[in-house]
């Protein structure tokens, strides 16, 4: 039902229109009346009516001034004016302001009926136009999402269609593309003039593609850095590529980074560059999966993938020499993965590759590969307990000594002499929390102590290893329940303020 209001300083007009007109017959609710311009404007703002009927002359604010304000704040509102004078100049101005109709007094039921009928028809056309525009916009968005998904799936062949959906002019401005894959749709990124985002659901993931108009993409990276500690979902990002056709590469990398984060149960943003050690170069997708499951200790997944690997190789109908070469390559990669774990590989026999040359059966070659990979997996599992204690203890000592400085997991891994991915797994298993969460807790507790002593927030931020003031503030508030400034004031001022209960940190 449409909503209407009547404004006139003559009581007989407002009362007469209320009583004489059957508003429900038109599908209209008469929501209110006012006798002066200021009260009328306040009522319009409160009630948000579809139709305003107003006299031109009113105290406080004239009808024309009222219509001007309505046109600024609620341009879709239909206005009808009436007056008892031959005020042609006022009428001309009213029409310029876009009023639907003008009625001269005395107002009759016939005049009202005609005016309301024309107004309702006008509103109907506006609604149809608005709905049509919304439908067109939704169709354009759907086409863009489809074209972008095709870009991720088939690359170069989809570029022309993507440019058409994106807009040729805007597409020509694109200087780079980065793809993000997330476990849910709760972490929508914010738009910015320096990039355009296209987001959609694909399978179990929520995919966002950032088309950069400017590089480097500082605004986007800063947004992700600041929001990452508060994220309840995991989000992985691929590398940024200059050519839109390479969006498929970035998408593959984003999915890999997300898989790595999900396996480690890490929330927030994980870049492919940080997880890249988990994905050796020059391997097929199946081979990468095998290596990943070895590194993460997933024996069931490892054996299943070895069976899939066998079927894939059989389908290619390779020669015995080619099969031997591929099997040997994967066996040696498995050996390197076991070696990366930090265990004493001197106790593990060198891969007896000469046995392969004596095997005439392809099935026997794959059986040999399975035996070797299972042997290496078992070695890693058995040796893991001794290695875990030494490596993690050494990492903890390094962190304890340097946690007020800026360093990465890779630097800690190099100090320990272990692959970063494997160290990350061991650290979480032994300590019960991730490396990032552990370091964050140490820094936040030190920050609380320094703030308690009265040190300035900006100085504390740098003192505990955060050179981005906003990032430090966000992390501290998430950890302590109050901002660093509030925490400092609560203690320096001699108050009994205590921060809210600490919450779990996310990477």
């Amino acid at each position: 039902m449409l909503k209407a209001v009547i404004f006139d300083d003559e009581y007989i007009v407002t009362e007469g229109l209320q009583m004489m007109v059957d508003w429900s017959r038109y599908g209209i609710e008469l929501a209110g009346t006012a006798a002066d311009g200021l009260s009328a404007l306040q009522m319009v703002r409160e009630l948000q009516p579809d139709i305003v009927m107003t006299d031109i002359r009113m105290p406080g604010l004239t009808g024309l001034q009222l219509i001007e304000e309505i046109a600024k704040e609620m341009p879709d509102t239909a206005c009808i004016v009436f007056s008892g004078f031959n005020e042609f100049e006022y009428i001309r101005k009213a029409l310029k302001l876009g009023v639907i109709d003008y009625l001269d007094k005395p107002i009759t039921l016939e005049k009202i009926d005609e005016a309301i009928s024309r107004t309702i028809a006008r509103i109907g056309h506006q609604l149809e136009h608005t709905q049509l525009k919304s439908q067109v916009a939704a169709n354009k968005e759907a086409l863009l999402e489809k074209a972008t998904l095709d870009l991720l799936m088939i690359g170069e062949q989809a570029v022309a269609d993507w440019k058409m959906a994106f807009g040729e002019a805007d597409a020509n401005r694109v200087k780079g593309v980065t793809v993000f894959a997330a476990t849910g749709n709760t972490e929508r990124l914010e738009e910015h003039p320096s990039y355009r985002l296209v987001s959609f659901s694909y399978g179990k993931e929520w995919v966002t593609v950032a088309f950069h108009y400017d590089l480097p993409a500082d605004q986007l990276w800063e947004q992700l850095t600041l929001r990452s500690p508060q994220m309840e979902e995991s989000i992985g990002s691929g590398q940024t590529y200059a050519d839109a056709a390479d969006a498929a590469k970035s998408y593959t990398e984003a999915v890999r980074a997300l898989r790595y984060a999900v396996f480690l149960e890490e929330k927030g943003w994980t870049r492919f560059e940080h997880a890249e050690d988990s994905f050796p170069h020059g391997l097929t997708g199946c081979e990468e999966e095998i290596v990943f499951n070895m590194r993460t200790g997933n024996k069931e997944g490892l054996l299943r993938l070895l069976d899939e690997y066998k079927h894939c190789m059989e389908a290619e109908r390779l020669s015995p020499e080619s099969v031997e070469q591929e099997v040997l390559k994967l066996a040696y990669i498995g050996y390197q993965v076991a070696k990366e774990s930090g265990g004493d590989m001197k106790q593990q026999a060198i891969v007896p590759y000469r046995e392969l040359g004596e095997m005439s059966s392809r099935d026997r070659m794959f059986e040999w590969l399975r035996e070797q990979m299972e042997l290496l997996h078992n070695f890693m599992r058995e040796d893991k307990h001794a290695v875990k204690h030494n490596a993690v203890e050494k990492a903890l000592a390094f962190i304890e000594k340097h946690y007020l400085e800026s360093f990465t997991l890779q630097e800690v891994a190099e100090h320990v002499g272990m692959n970063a991915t494997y160290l990350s797994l061991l650290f979480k298993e032994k300590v019960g929390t991730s490396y990032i969460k552990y370091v964050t807790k140490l820094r936040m507790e030190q920050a609380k102590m320094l703030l308690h002593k009265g040190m300035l927030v900006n100085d504390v931020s740098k003192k505990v290893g955060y050179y981005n003031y906003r990032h430090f503030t966000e992390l501290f508030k998430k950890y302590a329940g109050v901002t660093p400034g509030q925490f400092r004031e609560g203690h320096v001022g001699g108050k009994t303020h205590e921060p809210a209960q600490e919450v779990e940190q996310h990477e």
Side-chain angles (χ1 to χ4, degrees):
M1 181 172 282
L2 297 174
K3 191 185 298 181
V5 289
I6 300 174
F7 304 135
D8 197 303
D9 59 346
E10 294 184 41
Y11 179 80
I12 192 171
V13 173
T14 55
E15 285 299 306
L17 289 177
Q18 286 186 78
M19 296 175 60
M20 291 166 55
V21 179
D22 182 5
W23 296 96
S24 61
R25 182 167 70 89
Y26 301 101
I28 294 175
E29 172 198 356
L30 185 59
T33 64
D36 66 88
L38 293 176
S39 299
L41 181 58
Q42 182 179 351
M43 184 176 290
V44 167
R45 287 170 173 165
E46 290 176 357
L47 298 179
Q48 301 283 307
D50 303 290
I51 302 171
V52 171
M53 296 182 175
T54 180
D55 190 11
I56 284 181
R57 290 181 177 274
M58 284 191 301
L61 203 66
T62 69
L64 290 180
Q65 291 171 324
L66 173 65
I67 293 168
E68 279 186 294
E69 292 301 318
I70 293 173
K72 291 177 188 175
E73 299 178 23
M74 290 158 280
D76 292 333
T77 300
C79 294
I80 299 172
V81 297
F82 38 78
S83 176
F85 303 92
N86 292 324
E87 300 166 312
F88 297 111
E89 184 60 27
Y90 282 115
I91 297 169
R92 189 176 67 81
K93 289 181 180 179
L95 293 173
K96 275 189 174 183
L97 290 172
V99 298
I100 301 296
D101 218 330
Y102 166 78
L103 303 179
D104 58 335
K105 296 180 180 179
I107 300 170
T108 65
L109 288 177
E110 183 180 0
K111 291 178 182 178
I112 283 289
D113 181 71
E114 291 175 357
I116 291 176
S117 297
R118 284 193 292 268
T119 301
I120 290 175
R122 175 75 173 268
I123 291 174
H125 290 317
Q126 287 179 340
L127 288 174
E128 288 177 7
H129 182 63
T130 301
Q131 290 170 355
L132 183 60
K133 284 174 64 178
S134 298
Q135 186 177 357
V136 170
N139 288 340
K140 282 185 176 180
E141 193 65 27
L143 287 172
L144 178 56
E145 291 175 10
K146 171 64 167 59
T148 303
L149 177 59
D150 288 345
L151 193 65
L152 302 187
M153 296 297 107
I154 58 179
E156 183 67 40
Q157 299 174 37
V159 171
D161 288 341
W162 165 76
K163 283 187 175 182
M164 186 178 298
F166 196 81
E168 196 76 32
D170 284 342
N172 291 333
R173 292 175 54 208
V174 172
K175 295 181 180 178
V177 57
T178 309
V179 181
F180 301 86
T183 52
N185 186 21
T186 58
E187 307 300 343
R188 294 295 293 270
L189 300 175
E190 297 174 4
E191 293 283 356
H192 189 269
S194 64
Y195 55 81
R196 181 177 175 184
L197 303 176
V198 179
S199 301
F200 48 85
S201 175
Y202 183 61
K204 296 181 179 179
E205 300 152 3
W206 186 262
V207 179
T208 297
V209 184
F211 294 99
H212 305 285
Y213 297 134
D214 295 307
L215 290 177
D218 294 336
Q219 292 289 340
L220 184 57
W221 306 145
E222 182 179 358
Q223 181 190 160
L224 281 161
T225 300
L226 291 175
R227 292 180 58 184
S228 183
Q230 286 78 43
M231 288 182 180
E232 297 298 331
E233 303 284 349
S234 300
I235 180 170
S237 66
Q239 298 181 88
T240 300
Y241 291 92
D243 192 340
D246 289 328
K249 296 179 183 177
S250 187
Y251 171 65
T252 300
E253 294 167 352
V255 171
R256 291 178 179 179
L258 176 62
R259 184 187 64 179
Y260 174 81
V262 170
F263 183 85
L264 293 178
E265 298 178 359
E266 297 295 349
K267 306 299 184 183
W269 177 33
T270 298
R271 303 178 65 166
F272 174 74
E273 294 89 332
H274 295 165
E276 192 173 8
D277 284 343
S278 296
F279 311 104
H281 298 287
L283 302 184
T284 66
C286 186
E287 289 169 339
E288 287 179 353
E289 293 282 350
I290 289 171
V291 172
F292 185 78
N293 278 272
M294 277 200 70
R295 280 201 170 121
T296 54
N298 184 356
K299 186 174 182 179
E300 181 182 348
L302 172 65
L303 298 180
R304 175 179 54 79
L305 286 163
L306 284 170
D307 289 338
E308 291 181 11
Y309 177 75
K310 175 187 175 184
H311 295 317
C312 290
M313 295 288 283
E314 287 174 342
E316 293 184 22
R317 303 182 66 83
L318 299 175
S319 66
E321 292 78 16
S322 297
V323 173
E324 179 182 342
Q325 184 178 357
E326 292 300 314
V327 166
L328 185 60
K329 178 184 76 172
L330 194 53
Y332 266 106
I333 291 173
Y335 176 83
Q336 290 300 318
V337 171
K339 188 176 180 181
E340 284 176 358
S341 70
D344 185 6
M345 290 300 294
K346 294 177 182 179
Q347 302 300 318
Q348 178 68 17
I350 299 299
V351 177
Y353 65 91
R354 291 184 180 85
E355 295 179 13
L356 280 174
E358 301 171 2
M359 297 176 187
S360 57
S361 165
R362 182 173 54 187
D363 286 344
R364 182 67 191 100
M365 288 184 182
F366 287 120
E367 185 180 341
W368 175 86
L369 174 63
R370 186 184 178 96
E371 291 170 355
Q372 291 297 313
M373 299 298 273
E374 192 169 3
L375 187 67
L376 290 167
H377 174 275
N378 292 339
F379 162 77
M380 291 172 66
R381 183 183 62 186
E382 292 168 3
D383 193 66
K384 186 176 178 181
H385 299 291
V387 173
K388 175 173 64 176
H389 179 78
N390 294 333
V392 175
E393 288 299 329
K394 194 173 181 180
L396 288 170
F398 178 89
I399 293 170
E400 185 68 32
K401 183 178 180 180
H402 300 283
Y403 74 92
L404 297 180
E405 305 167 17
S406 179
F407 58 85
T408 65
L409 174 62
Q410 183 61 43
E411 291 176 79
V412 179
E414 289 173 2
H415 174 74
V416 172
M418 181 179 287
N419 172 270
T421 305
Y422 197 73
L423 175 61
S424 179
L425 292 168
L426 294 182
F427 191 97
K428 186 168 186 179
E429 183 177 331
K430 178 172 173 59
V431 181
T433 188
S434 73
Y435 148 80
I436 282 292
K437 293 176 186 176
Y438 183 81
V439 173
T440 299
K441 182 177 181 180
L442 288 177
R443 289 174 171 173
M444 292 300 107
E445 289 300 324
Q446 178 69 12
K448 287 166 67 175
M449 186 180 73
L450 296 175
L451 290 168
H452 184 77
K453 291 180 178 179
M455 185 178 289
L456 296 177
V457 175
N458 193 45
D459 293 338
V460 172
S461 176
K462 295 176 182 177
K463 193 76 173 176
V464 297
Y466 297 104
Y467 293 93
N468 185 312
Y469 174 83
R470 287 176 58 193
H471 185 202
F472 168 69
T473 300
E474 293 284 345
L475 281 176
F476 189 92
K477 185 175 181 181
K478 182 72 173 179
Y479 182 82
V482 292
T483 66
Q486 291 169 335
F487 185 90
R488 179 178 180 273
E489 291 171 6
H491 288 82
V492 174
K495 302 174 186 177
T496 59
H497 171 78
E498 290 293 334
Q501 183 178 359
E502 294 179 358
V503 294
E504 182 182 358
Q505 287 298 291
H506 299 308
E507 191 169 358

